[in-house]
């Protein structure tokens, strides 16, 4: 019988679900402060669905997108967990990634235009224009 989507996973179940070895999950815990599975007596780890989502995002970044460990740490410092778990769609379109939605693209283009205007204003104020 399969576990529900909301059930906690042991480290072996999480590793199987993610397609990585258990020692890799333990290693990632030492490198990424945001990976914090629940621990029971004796140190047994239990992964919540949100933990699995974060681990899947880390796996994607490291294994498919070519980030280094330091790169993922920097991305987390700059953008937080929302970017790691895919809630921010600011990833360029490539053949192996889905296209960005029109609404997301429009928001990003509007934000870029605002930043360009702010930069131009700053240059003007600083006499660099």
């Amino acid at each position: 019988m399969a576990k529900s989507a909301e059930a906690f996973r042991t480290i072996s179940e999480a590793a199987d679900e993610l397609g990585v070895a258990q020692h890799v999950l333990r290693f990632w815990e030492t490198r990424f402060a945001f990976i914090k599975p629940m621990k029971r007596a004796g140190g047994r780890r239990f992964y919540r669905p949100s933990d699995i989502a974060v681990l899947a995002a880390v796996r994607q970044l490291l294994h498919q997108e070519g980030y280094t460990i330091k790169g993922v740490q920097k991305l987390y410092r700059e953008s937080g967990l929302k970017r790691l778990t895919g809630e921010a769609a600011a990833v360029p379109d490539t053949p192996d990634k889905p296209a960005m939605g029109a609404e997301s693209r429009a928001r990003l283009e509007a934000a870029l235009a605002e930043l360009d205007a702010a930069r131009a204003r700053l240059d003007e104020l600083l006499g660099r224009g």
Side-chain angles (χ1 to χ4, degrees), residues 19-122:
V20 297
Q22 293 177 31
H23 71 271
V24 171
L25 297 180
R26 289 187 205 98
F27 174 73
W28 287 350
E29 275 183 55
T30 68
R31 295 296 181 249
F32 305 114
F34 52 87
I35 297 177
K36 296 177 189 161
M38 196 173 81
K39 290 188 181 175
R40 292 294 205 179
R44 187 166 176 170
R45 293 164 173 82
F46 287 95
Y47 295 87
R48 298 169 287 259
S50 59
D51 296 327
I52 298 294
V54 169
L55 289 168
V58 168
R59 182 183 176 281
Q60 171 76 22
L61 290 168
L62 292 172
H63 294 207
Q64 273 80 40
E65 296 186 30
Y67 278 79
T68 62
I69 288 174
K70 287 186 184 247
V72 174
Q73 291 168 338
K74 181 180 178 187
L75 188 63
Y76 170 72
R77 279 193 310 273
E78 292 174 353
S79 304
L81 282 177
K82 287 187 179 194
R83 167 58 181 98
L84 292 180
T85 58
E87 293 178 32
V91 179
D93 298 343
T94 61
D96 63 332
K97 295 177 192 159
M100 182 184 302
E103 184 179 329
S104 295
R105 184 174 299 280
R107 283 196 318 252
L108 287 172
E109 288 174 352
L112 180 59
E114 289 178 25
L115 289 170
D116 285 340
R119 176 190 280 163
R121 180 69 178 134
L122 282 171

